[in-house]
Amino acid sequence: MAAAFATAIETLDDRDLATTAHGDARPGTYVRLSVADDGSGMTDEVRAQIMPINRKYPLGELMDACVNGPALWDELILAGLAQLKAQANVDAGRLGAIGFCFGGMTVIEAVRATDKLKCAVAFHPGLTRLPESDARPVHGKVMVCAGQRDPLIPDDARNRFLRLMKEADADLQYLTYSEA
């Protein structure tokens, strides 16, 4: 299967919402983003669909450019949010973001880059390249889900991240999975 990426516009009614964990959701039309990956990587077609900037930067170079030059990272985040908010079916006052690995680090960066996100959930975010200090506020709530043995989150990186979030007075939940 490799990786797949799809968006769909779906209308949910009370019956649909009764089976979700979203207690404050209202019936209506929503944009659903689905990402699936069997671990074998992305095809060029999928990569071009989800990351059109790859025409300029190969994936690894884009990640380095973002981490080493947060202005580019923030520019990409804000451009993506602008595209999302421009959709007719999007409630711009109720935006959140989720991300895995580099995407997890990106959603954490996003709640520092803009106050337009209510929350960010990061799964297995790479925390090894954090700055020693960051004076920017954290605007939205943050949840991080990470394994205790995750090689991208050694103890010193986790401690630095927790310190940075505390210094920013962030509304943070950090969940550690002890056997992962």
Side-chain angles (χ1 to χ4, degrees):
M1 173 187 94
F5 173 81
T7 58
I9 297 176
E10 299 177 358
T11 301
L12 302 178
D13 59 24
D14 288 325
R15 187 184 61 208
D16 298 319
L17 294 173
T19 63
T20 73
H22 305 288
D24 64 341
R26 301 180 306 263
T29 303
Y30 292 83
V31 175
R32 177 181 297 231
L33 169 66
S34 301
V35 180
D37 187 359
D38 68 1
S40 63
M42 290 184 270
T43 65
D44 289 340
E45 178 184 351
V46 169
R47 185 174 288 123
Q49 184 182 7
I50 65 173
M51 296 182 74
I53 196 165
N54 276 351
R55 293 183 198 110
K56 182 175 179 183
Y57 294 97
L59 184 58
E61 290 178 24
L62 176 61
M63 291 170 55
D64 285 342
C66 288
V67 173
N68 295 328
L72 171 64
W73 207 357
D74 293 352
E75 179 184 341
L76 294 172
I77 290 166
L78 296 175
L81 283 173
Q83 287 293 317
L84 179 62
K85 292 189 306 186
Q87 305 304 308
N89 297 322
V90 172
D91 180 348
R94 299 180 64 190
L95 297 178
I98 62 170
F100 177 81
C101 201
F102 182 69
M105 207 46 233
T106 299
V107 301
I108 293 168
E109 176 64 20
V111 293
R112 284 197 182 264
T114 181
D115 62 356
K116 304 303 180 203
L117 292 173
K118 299 290 184 193
C119 64
V121 180
F123 299 93
H124 165 72
L127 299 178
T128 56
R129 297 171 80 175
L130 293 171
E132 283 301 318
S133 64
D134 192 337
R136 298 173 300 159
V138 176
H139 299 285
K141 297 179 180 186
V142 178
M143 176 186 280
V144 174
C145 302
Q148 180 70 34
R149 300 180 189 166
D150 189 333
L152 293 179
I153 312 176
D155 290 343
D156 62 324
R158 180 178 39 259
N159 292 337
R160 180 180 310 128
F161 173 75
L162 294 172
R163 178 180 51 78
L164 290 170
M165 292 291 106
K166 184 175 182 175
E167 288 171 359
D169 197 28
D171 186 342
L172 171 70
Q173 294 291 316
Y174 191 101
L175 305 176
T176 303
Y177 297 93
S178 61
E179 296 302 316

